[in-house]
Amino acid sequence: MTETTPGWLAPEELEMTRARMPILYVDAVPVRVDDSGEVTHVGLLLRIGPDGTVSRALVSGRVLHHERVRDALLRHLEKDLGPVALPRIPASLQPFTVAEYFPTQGITPYHDPRQHAVSLAYVVPVAGDCMPRQDALDLVWFTPQEASSPQLQADMPGGQGFLLKQALAHVGCAP
Amino acid sequence: MTETTPGWLAPEELEMTRARMPILYVDAVPVRVDDSGEVTHVGLLLRIGPDGTVSRALVSGRVLHHERVRDALLRHLEKDLGPVALPRIPASLQPFTVAEYFPTQGITPYHDPRQHAVSLAYVVPVAGDCMPRQDALDLVWFTPQEASSPQLQADMPGGQGFLLKQALAHVGCAP
Amino acid sequence: MTETTPGWLAPEELEMTRARMPILYVDAVPVRVDDSGEVTHVGLLLRIGPDGTVSRALVSGRVLHHERVRDALLRHLEKDLGPVALPRIPASLQPFTVAEYFPTQGITPYHDPRQHAVSLAYVVPVAGDCMPRQDALDLVWFTPQEASSPQLQADMPGGQGFLLKQALAHVGCAP
Amino acid sequence: MTETTPGWLAPEELEMTRARMPILYVDAVPVRVDDSGEVTHVGLLLRIGPDGTVSRALVSGRVLHHERVRDALLRHLEKDLGPVALPRIPASLQPFTVAEYFPTQGITPYHDPRQHAVSLAYVVPVAGDCMPRQDALDLVWFTPQEASSPQLQADMPGGQGFLLKQALAHVGCAP
């Protein structure tokens, strides 16, 4: 069987590339907003890792070959929040920050043991119903204050807790 | 008759203040976006001035005392586009630029003979039906290419043509 | 004696205007950066209030009539840090956030009992020697971690502690 | 001879990866600024292609494995402008835009026949002397008005002319 889809990488090719190149990612912080655009809630995915540890995560994933950043955002949001979440992808691609996940700890606030990933991070208002699928167990909405709590921050590994705090600071939500 | 509304200025007081202080404004560029957030159209108000000259304008207006910037945006968008325009006020107050309208020409690209106005400028996706009222005759939707044309730019006085170009550059629309 | 300088307001006029209009401010977060642009230290002014309370503050002040935002930034930085601080005013006026100080508490994270001030906030690298004058006692440099500490945050009233945290989040400094 | 430097790719591996993954780039627009931060000049590299065609270019290049974005910016600026250019890498990694160069024309305003490159774009003030080396013949400084001219824009292929216009719009320079 031959794989001919452009942008597709065989597992061993992905491994090799991960050891040689920074991999382009997008991170999306799903939020509920009121009519004036103010963020009222932040959505976090609940994941259970292979070793049974519970963690919370933002919507995150690779940008594929020949895929626009906005299409990657849409694809990952649909994959994680379901087909009727109605995400409002920003009109401008200017991210609120660029998160550099290094395989080595301590170089930046972000860490990914698998790879060097560079992620464009966006706040994405979501207007519809969210029905997590794939490997996520659940999507839970938190107030900005709850999302800043040390307890919840501790459940977000690899610097995603800090990335969430950066998103909240960007939209003006005090802890 | 005594006016007691906070934030209200008698005409002569507004005149006096305009001669002494920069006045805080908001500028909103209404846009239509597709599902991936890409801008497909820009909305411009058609205005006829007291001297009969036709001009095109962005949604623009003062921020009042004790009014949040997001509420000022909402108020001016509703005033100019009607009650069912469904504007999506941005989650973050970070503007794409700050437009400084000076009463003297040539200090910045923006000019307002009446006052020194400093305006926070935002791109605002609009999802509903637009029914201009007040002093606007009509709202016309243009493609980004049409909006960048020299002809249309010439109809936007005081530097608003340049502000529109800045908005289009910010959202990645080439002329 | 008659004051004729444009942009000047008699104390009673400033009082009256403060009760009627949002007042335009700038906030600058002075930082030291290394050759790669990474923030190594944040500078905070030490102030002693009329009642003897010690507080820490960002560089902050009004934009005057017919003054550009960049000139207001330069003027306040020179006023607070001295003439040889060599501040690097940003090339773009896009602020990292807009801080809305309300006279009423709880509307936004910022509060100013005197007025409704709307402040454009910038991170400003400072390369030279800082010699605070005016009403500031001292300028002290803190690491980003020190600047995020609850103790130091408690010394920054009116929401400036949160504004500092927003600046640190914007430049990617984890607490 | 075996290459063991991490981040290095053999030519054939780079070719293969380019056909499978978006490649992370940085684009830097070198500028001269005055004391108030206002852009007075834009620096463009003069290049002569293998076929003798003259073109102008921004400072641009790949981000390597395990390299921070700020270090990639510094490396490419030093490579193209020489060791005493004294570039002021921004304190925040928030780019003014993300330029998506597609191997297929017309998907975005940017185009690179060799690859799908996604580039984080920054305006970088440069304070020192610039001495282009490598494959660049010369660095020429233009006023913002000259840089916006159709003639000069025509010399910047692959959408870099538009990226330059976006940079000028971001810093508030009208054509």
PDB file of all heavy atoms in Angstrom, chain A residues 13 18 20-21 23 62 65-66 69 93-95 100 104 107 116, chain D residues 9 13 18 20-21 23 62 65-66 69 93-95 100 104 116:
ATOM      1  N   GLU A  13       9.564   8.573   9.179  1.00  0.00           N
ATOM      2  CA  GLU A  13       9.982   9.841   8.588  1.00  0.00           C
ATOM      3  C   GLU A  13       9.697  10.996   9.552  1.00  0.00           C
ATOM      4  O   GLU A  13      10.495  11.916   9.699  1.00  0.00           O
ATOM      5  CB  GLU A  13       9.254  10.092   7.268  1.00  0.00           C
ATOM      6  CG  GLU A  13       9.718   9.178   6.142  1.00  0.00           C
ATOM      7  CD  GLU A  13       8.866   9.347   4.899  1.00  0.00           C
ATOM      8  OE1 GLU A  13       7.634   9.602   5.036  1.00  0.00           O
ATOM      9  OE2 GLU A  13       9.417   9.222   3.797  1.00  0.00           O
ATOM     10  N   ARG A  18      11.558  15.141  13.080  1.00  0.00           N
ATOM     11  CA  ARG A  18      11.485  15.754  14.407  1.00  0.00           C
ATOM     12  C   ARG A  18      12.860  15.943  15.032  1.00  0.00           C
ATOM     13  O   ARG A  18      13.052  16.800  15.876  1.00  0.00           O
ATOM     14  CB  ARG A  18      10.647  14.883  15.337  1.00  0.00           C
ATOM     15  CG  ARG A  18       9.171  15.141  15.198  1.00  0.00           C
ATOM     16  CD  ARG A  18       8.380  14.197  16.081  1.00  0.00           C
ATOM     17  NE  ARG A  18       7.009  14.685  16.222  1.00  0.00           N
ATOM     18  CZ  ARG A  18       5.997  13.942  16.637  1.00  0.00           C
ATOM     19  NH1 ARG A  18       6.184  12.680  16.957  1.00  0.00           N
ATOM     20  NH2 ARG A  18       4.794  14.454  16.747  1.00  0.00           N
ATOM     21  N   ARG A  20      15.460  16.786  13.332  1.00  0.00           N
ATOM     22  CA  ARG A  20      16.271  17.648  12.473  1.00  0.00           C
ATOM     23  C   ARG A  20      15.721  19.052  12.258  1.00  0.00           C
ATOM     24  O   ARG A  20      16.440  19.952  11.830  1.00  0.00           O
ATOM     25  CB  ARG A  20      16.403  17.003  11.070  1.00  0.00           C
ATOM     26  CG  ARG A  20      16.957  15.615  11.043  1.00  0.00           C
ATOM     27  CD  ARG A  20      18.441  15.608  11.393  1.00  0.00           C
ATOM     28  NE  ARG A  20      18.956  14.248  11.422  1.00  0.00           N
ATOM     29  CZ  ARG A  20      19.358  13.578  10.336  1.00  0.00           C
ATOM     30  NH1 ARG A  20      19.310  14.146   9.154  1.00  0.00           N
ATOM     31  NH2 ARG A  20      19.805  12.348  10.452  1.00  0.00           N
ATOM     32  N   MET A  21      14.403  19.255  12.484  1.00  0.00           N
ATOM     33  CA  MET A  21      13.763  20.512  12.110  1.00  0.00           C
ATOM     34  C   MET A  21      12.788  20.939  13.202  1.00  0.00           C
ATOM     35  O   MET A  21      12.180  20.090  13.843  1.00  0.00           O
ATOM     36  CB  MET A  21      12.903  20.281  10.853  1.00  0.00           C
ATOM     37  CG  MET A  21      13.626  19.766   9.661  1.00  0.00           C
ATOM     38  SD  MET A  21      14.256  21.129   8.679  1.00  0.00           S
ATOM     39  CE  MET A  21      12.715  21.803   8.036  1.00  0.00           C
ATOM     40  N   ILE A  23       9.207  21.851  14.212  1.00  0.00           N
ATOM     41  CA  ILE A  23       7.933  21.466  13.610  1.00  0.00           C
ATOM     42  C   ILE A  23       6.917  22.578  13.890  1.00  0.00           C
ATOM     43  O   ILE A  23       6.787  23.025  15.025  1.00  0.00           O
ATOM     44  CB  ILE A  23       7.423  20.139  14.212  1.00  0.00           C
ATOM     45  CG1 ILE A  23       8.542  19.072  14.196  1.00  0.00           C
ATOM     46  CG2 ILE A  23       6.189  19.646  13.482  1.00  0.00           C
ATOM     47  CD1 ILE A  23       8.979  18.635  12.835  1.00  0.00           C
ATOM     48  N   ARG A  62      -0.235  19.984  14.585  1.00  0.00           N
ATOM     49  CA  ARG A  62       0.697  20.324  13.524  1.00  0.00           C
ATOM     50  C   ARG A  62       0.027  21.068  12.378  1.00  0.00           C
ATOM     51  O   ARG A  62      -1.155  20.854  12.104  1.00  0.00           O
ATOM     52  CB  ARG A  62       1.280  19.032  12.931  1.00  0.00           C
ATOM     53  CG  ARG A  62       2.513  18.548  13.613  1.00  0.00           C
ATOM     54  CD  ARG A  62       3.460  17.864  12.628  1.00  0.00           C
ATOM     55  NE  ARG A  62       2.884  16.641  12.063  1.00  0.00           N
ATOM     56  CZ  ARG A  62       3.073  16.275  10.789  1.00  0.00           C
ATOM     57  NH1 ARG A  62       3.770  17.043   9.961  1.00  0.00           N
ATOM     58  NH2 ARG A  62       2.570  15.141  10.354  1.00  0.00           N
ATOM     59  N   HIS A  65       1.924  20.060   5.389  1.00  0.00           N
ATOM     60  CA  HIS A  65       2.457  20.597   4.144  1.00  0.00           C
ATOM     61  C   HIS A  65       1.313  21.084   3.265  1.00  0.00           C
ATOM     62  O   HIS A  65       0.306  20.407   3.112  1.00  0.00           O
ATOM     63  CB  HIS A  65       3.240  19.501   3.397  1.00  0.00           C
ATOM     64  CG  HIS A  65       3.948  20.011   2.181  1.00  0.00           C
ATOM     65  ND1 HIS A  65       3.485  19.782   0.908  1.00  0.00           N
ATOM     66  CD2 HIS A  65       5.070  20.767   2.059  1.00  0.00           C
ATOM     67  CE1 HIS A  65       4.318  20.362   0.044  1.00  0.00           C
ATOM     68  NE2 HIS A  65       5.282  20.961   0.714  1.00  0.00           N
ATOM     69  N   HIS A  66       1.466  22.270   2.726  1.00  0.00           N
ATOM     70  CA  HIS A  66       0.495  22.877   1.810  1.00  0.00           C
ATOM     71  C   HIS A  66      -0.836  23.193   2.487  1.00  0.00           C
ATOM     72  O   HIS A  66      -1.873  23.338   1.825  1.00  0.00           O
ATOM     73  CB  HIS A  66       0.268  21.977   0.592  1.00  0.00           C
ATOM     74  CG  HIS A  66       0.162  22.757  -0.689  1.00  0.00           C
ATOM     75  ND1 HIS A  66      -1.018  23.316  -1.123  1.00  0.00           N
ATOM     76  CD2 HIS A  66       1.099  23.117  -1.598  1.00  0.00           C
ATOM     77  CE1 HIS A  66      -0.809  23.943  -2.266  1.00  0.00           C
ATOM     78  NE2 HIS A  66       0.479  23.851  -2.580  1.00  0.00           N
ATOM     79  N   VAL A  69      -2.326  28.172   7.748  1.00  0.00           N
ATOM     80  CA  VAL A  69      -2.432  28.202   9.203  1.00  0.00           C
ATOM     81  C   VAL A  69      -3.892  28.240   9.628  1.00  0.00           C
ATOM     82  O   VAL A  69      -4.316  27.540  10.558  1.00  0.00           O
ATOM     83  CB  VAL A  69      -1.649  29.405   9.777  1.00  0.00           C
ATOM     84  CG1 VAL A  69      -1.975  29.644  11.236  1.00  0.00           C
ATOM     85  CG2 VAL A  69      -0.139  29.190   9.596  1.00  0.00           C
ATOM     86  N   LEU A  93      -3.735  36.846  11.145  1.00  0.00           N
ATOM     87  CA  LEU A  93      -2.897  35.730  11.585  1.00  0.00           C
ATOM     88  C   LEU A  93      -1.882  36.141  12.647  1.00  0.00           C
ATOM     89  O   LEU A  93      -1.121  35.302  13.132  1.00  0.00           O
ATOM     90  CB  LEU A  93      -2.158  35.117  10.391  1.00  0.00           C
ATOM     91  CG  LEU A  93      -2.982  34.230   9.478  1.00  0.00           C
ATOM     92  CD1 LEU A  93      -2.094  33.584   8.440  1.00  0.00           C
ATOM     93  CD2 LEU A  93      -3.702  33.138  10.283  1.00  0.00           C
ATOM     94  N   GLN A  94      -1.826  37.426  13.008  1.00  0.00           N
ATOM     95  CA  GLN A  94      -0.892  37.842  14.065  1.00  0.00           C
ATOM     96  C   GLN A  94      -1.239  37.092  15.359  1.00  0.00           C
ATOM     97  O   GLN A  94      -2.313  37.301  15.920  1.00  0.00           O
ATOM     98  CB  GLN A  94      -1.002  39.351  14.315  1.00  0.00           C
ATOM     99  CG  GLN A  94       0.021  39.850  15.335  1.00  0.00           C
ATOM    100  CD  GLN A  94      -0.111  41.344  15.631  1.00  0.00           C
ATOM    101  OE1 GLN A  94      -1.200  41.882  15.731  1.00  0.00           O
ATOM    102  NE2 GLN A  94       1.018  41.999  15.790  1.00  0.00           N
ATOM    103  N   PRO A  95      -0.366  36.186  15.816  1.00  0.00           N
ATOM    104  CA  PRO A  95      -0.679  35.427  17.034  1.00  0.00           C
ATOM    105  C   PRO A  95      -0.455  36.303  18.265  1.00  0.00           C
ATOM    106  O   PRO A  95       0.236  37.318  18.189  1.00  0.00           O
ATOM    107  CB  PRO A  95       0.341  34.288  17.001  1.00  0.00           C
ATOM    108  CG  PRO A  95       1.511  34.849  16.274  1.00  0.00           C
ATOM    109  CD  PRO A  95       0.971  35.845  15.283  1.00  0.00           C
ATOM    110  N   GLU A 100       7.640  28.366  21.924  1.00  0.00           N
ATOM    111  CA  GLU A 100       8.721  27.520  21.423  1.00  0.00           C
ATOM    112  C   GLU A 100       8.913  26.356  22.385  1.00  0.00           C
ATOM    113  O   GLU A 100       9.504  26.521  23.451  1.00  0.00           O
ATOM    114  CB  GLU A 100      10.009  28.328  21.296  1.00  0.00           C
ATOM    115  CG  GLU A 100       9.864  29.563  20.425  1.00  0.00           C
ATOM    116  CD  GLU A 100      11.156  30.366  20.340  1.00  0.00           C
ATOM    117  OE1 GLU A 100      11.966  30.083  19.454  1.00  0.00           O
ATOM    118  OE2 GLU A 100      11.344  31.269  21.171  1.00  0.00           O
ATOM    119  N   THR A 104      14.622  20.074  25.208  1.00  0.00           N
ATOM    120  CA  THR A 104      15.427  20.285  26.413  1.00  0.00           C
ATOM    121  C   THR A 104      14.671  21.249  27.322  1.00  0.00           C
ATOM    122  O   THR A 104      14.169  22.267  26.861  1.00  0.00           O
ATOM    123  CB  THR A 104      16.777  20.934  26.030  1.00  0.00           C
ATOM    124  OG1 THR A 104      17.344  20.197  24.953  1.00  0.00           O
ATOM    125  CG2 THR A 104      17.716  20.969  27.215  1.00  0.00           C
ATOM    126  N   ILE A 107      15.064  26.057  28.379  1.00  0.00           N
ATOM    127  CA  ILE A 107      15.486  27.043  27.381  1.00  0.00           C
ATOM    128  C   ILE A 107      14.397  28.101  27.207  1.00  0.00           C
ATOM    129  O   ILE A 107      14.670  29.284  27.111  1.00  0.00           O
ATOM    130  CB  ILE A 107      15.815  26.341  26.045  1.00  0.00           C
ATOM    131  CG1 ILE A 107      17.032  25.433  26.250  1.00  0.00           C
ATOM    132  CG2 ILE A 107      16.067  27.360  24.934  1.00  0.00           C
ATOM    133  CD1 ILE A 107      17.388  24.594  25.052  1.00  0.00           C
ATOM    134  N   HIS A 116      11.191  19.622  18.864  1.00  0.00           N
ATOM    135  CA  HIS A 116      11.250  21.072  18.888  1.00  0.00           C
ATOM    136  C   HIS A 116      10.077  21.584  18.065  1.00  0.00           C
ATOM    137  O   HIS A 116      10.096  21.525  16.836  1.00  0.00           O
ATOM    138  CB  HIS A 116      12.588  21.548  18.299  1.00  0.00           C
ATOM    139  CG  HIS A 116      12.692  23.040  18.141  1.00  0.00           C
ATOM    140  ND1 HIS A 116      13.580  23.638  17.283  1.00  0.00           N
ATOM    141  CD2 HIS A 116      12.016  24.055  18.739  1.00  0.00           C
ATOM    142  CE1 HIS A 116      13.463  24.962  17.354  1.00  0.00           C
ATOM    143  NE2 HIS A 116      12.521  25.238  18.216  1.00  0.00           N
TER     144      HIS A 116
ATOM    145  N   LEU D   9      20.933  19.327   7.958  1.00  0.00           N
ATOM    146  CA  LEU D   9      20.262  18.406   7.056  1.00  0.00           C
ATOM    147  C   LEU D   9      21.107  18.250   5.801  1.00  0.00           C
ATOM    148  O   LEU D   9      21.542  19.242   5.217  1.00  0.00           O
ATOM    149  CB  LEU D   9      18.902  18.966   6.631  1.00  0.00           C
ATOM    150  CG  LEU D   9      17.743  18.860   7.618  1.00  0.00           C
ATOM    151  CD1 LEU D   9      16.516  19.539   7.030  1.00  0.00           C
ATOM    152  CD2 LEU D   9      17.429  17.414   7.940  1.00  0.00           C
ATOM    153  N   GLU D  13      18.164  15.331   2.194  1.00  0.00           N
ATOM    154  CA  GLU D  13      17.177  15.290   3.286  1.00  0.00           C
ATOM    155  C   GLU D  13      16.360  16.579   3.319  1.00  0.00           C
ATOM    156  O   GLU D  13      15.150  16.569   3.554  1.00  0.00           O
ATOM    157  CB  GLU D  13      17.893  15.108   4.633  1.00  0.00           C
ATOM    158  CG  GLU D  13      18.464  13.716   4.839  1.00  0.00           C
ATOM    159  CD  GLU D  13      19.290  13.637   6.112  1.00  0.00           C
ATOM    160  OE1 GLU D  13      19.944  14.639   6.477  1.00  0.00           O
ATOM    161  OE2 GLU D  13      19.276  12.552   6.732  1.00  0.00           O
ATOM    162  N   ARG D  18      11.372  19.334   2.598  1.00  0.00           N
ATOM    163  CA  ARG D  18      10.647  20.441   1.973  1.00  0.00           C
ATOM    164  C   ARG D  18       9.402  19.976   1.246  1.00  0.00           C
ATOM    165  O   ARG D  18       8.462  20.740   1.065  1.00  0.00           O
ATOM    166  CB  ARG D  18      11.561  21.155   0.967  1.00  0.00           C
ATOM    167  CG  ARG D  18      12.444  22.173   1.610  1.00  0.00           C
ATOM    168  CD  ARG D  18      13.377  22.804   0.594  1.00  0.00           C
ATOM    169  NE  ARG D  18      13.970  24.011   1.138  1.00  0.00           N
ATOM    170  CZ  ARG D  18      15.081  24.571   0.666  1.00  0.00           C
ATOM    171  NH1 ARG D  18      15.706  24.038  -0.349  1.00  0.00           N
ATOM    172  NH2 ARG D  18      15.540  25.675   1.216  1.00  0.00           N
ATOM    173  N   ARG D  20       7.504  17.623   2.325  1.00  0.00           N
ATOM    174  CA  ARG D  20       6.602  16.975   3.270  1.00  0.00           C
ATOM    175  C   ARG D  20       6.105  17.862   4.398  1.00  0.00           C
ATOM    176  O   ARG D  20       5.114  17.524   5.059  1.00  0.00           O
ATOM    177  CB  ARG D  20       7.321  15.776   3.933  1.00  0.00           C
ATOM    178  CG  ARG D  20       7.855  14.730   2.984  1.00  0.00           C
ATOM    179  CD  ARG D  20       6.737  13.967   2.318  1.00  0.00           C
ATOM    180  NE  ARG D  20       7.275  13.014   1.352  1.00  0.00           N
ATOM    181  CZ  ARG D  20       7.732  11.804   1.663  1.00  0.00           C
ATOM    182  NH1 ARG D  20       7.696  11.385   2.904  1.00  0.00           N
ATOM    183  NH2 ARG D  20       8.201  11.018   0.727  1.00  0.00           N
ATOM    184  N   MET D  21       6.825  18.952   4.692  1.00  0.00           N
ATOM    185  CA  MET D  21       6.515  19.724   5.900  1.00  0.00           C
ATOM    186  C   MET D  21       6.617  21.208   5.588  1.00  0.00           C
ATOM    187  O   MET D  21       7.453  21.609   4.773  1.00  0.00           O
ATOM    188  CB  MET D  21       7.605  19.451   6.959  1.00  0.00           C
ATOM    189  CG  MET D  21       7.769  18.031   7.365  1.00  0.00           C
ATOM    190  SD  MET D  21       6.667  17.680   8.742  1.00  0.00           S
ATOM    191  CE  MET D  21       7.478  18.621  10.041  1.00  0.00           C
ATOM    192  N   ILE D  23       8.241  24.617   6.334  1.00  0.00           N
ATOM    193  CA  ILE D  23       9.545  24.935   6.906  1.00  0.00           C
ATOM    194  C   ILE D  23       9.440  26.281   7.619  1.00  0.00           C
ATOM    195  O   ILE D  23       8.913  27.250   7.065  1.00  0.00           O
ATOM    196  CB  ILE D  23      10.611  25.025   5.790  1.00  0.00           C
ATOM    197  CG1 ILE D  23      10.550  23.802   4.862  1.00  0.00           C
ATOM    198  CG2 ILE D  23      12.003  25.192   6.395  1.00  0.00           C
ATOM    199  CD1 ILE D  23      10.911  22.501   5.520  1.00  0.00           C
ATOM    200  N   ARG D  62      15.941  30.286   7.483  1.00  0.00           N
ATOM    201  CA  ARG D  62      15.352  29.185   8.239  1.00  0.00           C
ATOM    202  C   ARG D  62      15.626  29.290   9.731  1.00  0.00           C
ATOM    203  O   ARG D  62      16.667  29.811  10.143  1.00  0.00           O
ATOM    204  CB  ARG D  62      15.968  27.868   7.768  1.00  0.00           C
ATOM    205  CG  ARG D  62      15.234  27.212   6.648  1.00  0.00           C
ATOM    206  CD  ARG D  62      15.326  25.692   6.753  1.00  0.00           C
ATOM    207  NE  ARG D  62      16.655  25.166   6.589  1.00  0.00           N
ATOM    208  CZ  ARG D  62      17.115  24.120   7.279  1.00  0.00           C
ATOM    209  NH1 ARG D  62      16.337  23.530   8.209  1.00  0.00           N
ATOM    210  NH2 ARG D  62      18.327  23.666   7.072  1.00  0.00           N
ATOM    211  N   HIS D  65      16.881  23.423  13.921  1.00  0.00           N
ATOM    212  CA  HIS D  65      16.487  22.576  15.047  1.00  0.00           C
ATOM    213  C   HIS D  65      17.196  23.038  16.312  1.00  0.00           C
ATOM    214  O   HIS D  65      18.397  23.308  16.294  1.00  0.00           O
ATOM    215  CB  HIS D  65      16.862  21.118  14.744  1.00  0.00           C
ATOM    216  CG  HIS D  65      16.366  20.155  15.790  1.00  0.00           C
ATOM    217  ND1 HIS D  65      17.196  19.612  16.736  1.00  0.00           N
ATOM    218  CD2 HIS D  65      15.131  19.680  16.039  1.00  0.00           C
ATOM    219  CE1 HIS D  65      16.480  18.814  17.519  1.00  0.00           C
ATOM    220  NE2 HIS D  65      15.225  18.828  17.117  1.00  0.00           N
ATOM    221  N   HIS D  66      16.426  23.156  17.380  1.00  0.00           N
ATOM    222  CA  HIS D  66      16.956  23.540  18.698  1.00  0.00           C
ATOM    223  C   HIS D  66      17.499  24.979  18.733  1.00  0.00           C
ATOM    224  O   HIS D  66      18.303  25.342  19.591  1.00  0.00           O
ATOM    225  CB  HIS D  66      18.048  22.563  19.154  1.00  0.00           C
ATOM    226  CG  HIS D  66      17.955  22.233  20.619  1.00  0.00           C
ATOM    227  ND1 HIS D  66      18.536  23.003  21.587  1.00  0.00           N
ATOM    228  CD2 HIS D  66      17.326  21.235  21.270  1.00  0.00           C
ATOM    229  CE1 HIS D  66      18.299  22.480  22.780  1.00  0.00           C
ATOM    230  NE2 HIS D  66      17.546  21.401  22.618  1.00  0.00           N
ATOM    231  N   VAL D  69      13.787  31.330  18.099  1.00  0.00           N
ATOM    232  CA  VAL D  69      13.441  32.278  17.034  1.00  0.00           C
ATOM    233  C   VAL D  69      14.316  33.523  17.147  1.00  0.00           C
ATOM    234  O   VAL D  69      14.823  34.040  16.147  1.00  0.00           O
ATOM    235  CB  VAL D  69      11.941  32.645  17.109  1.00  0.00           C
ATOM    236  CG1 VAL D  69      11.623  33.842  16.229  1.00  0.00           C
ATOM    237  CG2 VAL D  69      11.088  31.441  16.702  1.00  0.00           C
ATOM    238  N   LEU D  93       8.066  38.221  21.042  1.00  0.00           N
ATOM    239  CA  LEU D  93       8.109  37.409  19.822  1.00  0.00           C
ATOM    240  C   LEU D  93       6.842  37.546  18.976  1.00  0.00           C
ATOM    241  O   LEU D  93       6.741  36.936  17.915  1.00  0.00           O
ATOM    242  CB  LEU D  93       8.323  35.934  20.168  1.00  0.00           C
ATOM    243  CG  LEU D  93       9.749  35.540  20.559  1.00  0.00           C
ATOM    244  CD1 LEU D  93       9.839  34.035  20.736  1.00  0.00           C
ATOM    245  CD2 LEU D  93      10.751  35.995  19.506  1.00  0.00           C
ATOM    246  N   GLN D  94       5.854  38.324  19.456  1.00  0.00           N
ATOM    247  CA  GLN D  94       4.652  38.507  18.637  1.00  0.00           C
ATOM    248  C   GLN D  94       5.050  39.161  17.309  1.00  0.00           C
ATOM    249  O   GLN D  94       5.490  40.314  17.294  1.00  0.00           O
ATOM    250  CB  GLN D  94       3.646  39.412  19.375  1.00  0.00           C
ATOM    251  CG  GLN D  94       2.325  39.545  18.629  1.00  0.00           C
ATOM    252  CD  GLN D  94       1.338  40.495  19.312  1.00  0.00           C
ATOM    253  OE1 GLN D  94       1.713  41.535  19.842  1.00  0.00           O
ATOM    254  NE2 GLN D  94       0.073  40.141  19.293  1.00  0.00           N
ATOM    255  N   PRO D  95       4.908  38.433  16.189  1.00  0.00           N
ATOM    256  CA  PRO D  95       5.296  39.021  14.904  1.00  0.00           C
ATOM    257  C   PRO D  95       4.223  40.000  14.431  1.00  0.00           C
ATOM    258  O   PRO D  95       3.089  39.950  14.904  1.00  0.00           O
ATOM    259  CB  PRO D  95       5.351  37.806  13.979  1.00  0.00           C
ATOM    260  CG  PRO D  95       4.367  36.846  14.548  1.00  0.00           C
ATOM    261  CD  PRO D  95       4.348  37.074  16.034  1.00  0.00           C
ATOM    262  N   GLU D 100       2.887  33.186   4.749  1.00  0.00           N
ATOM    263  CA  GLU D 100       2.827  31.784   4.330  1.00  0.00           C
ATOM    264  C   GLU D 100       3.207  31.697   2.857  1.00  0.00           C
ATOM    265  O   GLU D 100       2.406  32.010   1.981  1.00  0.00           O
ATOM    266  CB  GLU D 100       1.432  31.224   4.551  1.00  0.00           C
ATOM    267  CG  GLU D 100       0.954  31.354   5.990  1.00  0.00           C
ATOM    268  CD  GLU D 100      -0.465  30.811   6.180  1.00  0.00           C
ATOM    269  OE1 GLU D 100      -0.597  29.618   6.471  1.00  0.00           O
ATOM    270  OE2 GLU D 100      -1.425  31.586   6.042  1.00  0.00           O
ATOM    271  N   THR D 104       2.668  26.734  -4.539  1.00  0.00           N
ATOM    272  CA  THR D 104       1.642  27.005  -5.540  1.00  0.00           C
ATOM    273  C   THR D 104       1.281  28.488  -5.461  1.00  0.00           C
ATOM    274  O   THR D 104       1.063  29.006  -4.372  1.00  0.00           O
ATOM    275  CB  THR D 104       0.375  26.169  -5.235  1.00  0.00           C
ATOM    276  OG1 THR D 104       0.766  24.818  -5.003  1.00  0.00           O
ATOM    277  CG2 THR D 104      -0.626  26.241  -6.365  1.00  0.00           C
ATOM    278  N   HIS D 116       7.076  25.032   0.930  1.00  0.00           N
ATOM    279  CA  HIS D 116       6.060  25.676   1.754  1.00  0.00           C
ATOM    280  C   HIS D 116       6.768  26.207   2.999  1.00  0.00           C
ATOM    281  O   HIS D 116       7.135  25.437   3.890  1.00  0.00           O
ATOM    282  CB  HIS D 116       4.982  24.653   2.128  1.00  0.00           C
ATOM    283  CG  HIS D 116       3.957  25.168   3.098  1.00  0.00           C
ATOM    284  ND1 HIS D 116       3.171  24.327   3.859  1.00  0.00           N
ATOM    285  CD2 HIS D 116       3.578  26.421   3.426  1.00  0.00           C
ATOM    286  CE1 HIS D 116       2.361  25.048   4.620  1.00  0.00           C
ATOM    287  NE2 HIS D 116       2.594  26.317   4.386  1.00  0.00           N
TER     288      HIS D 116
END
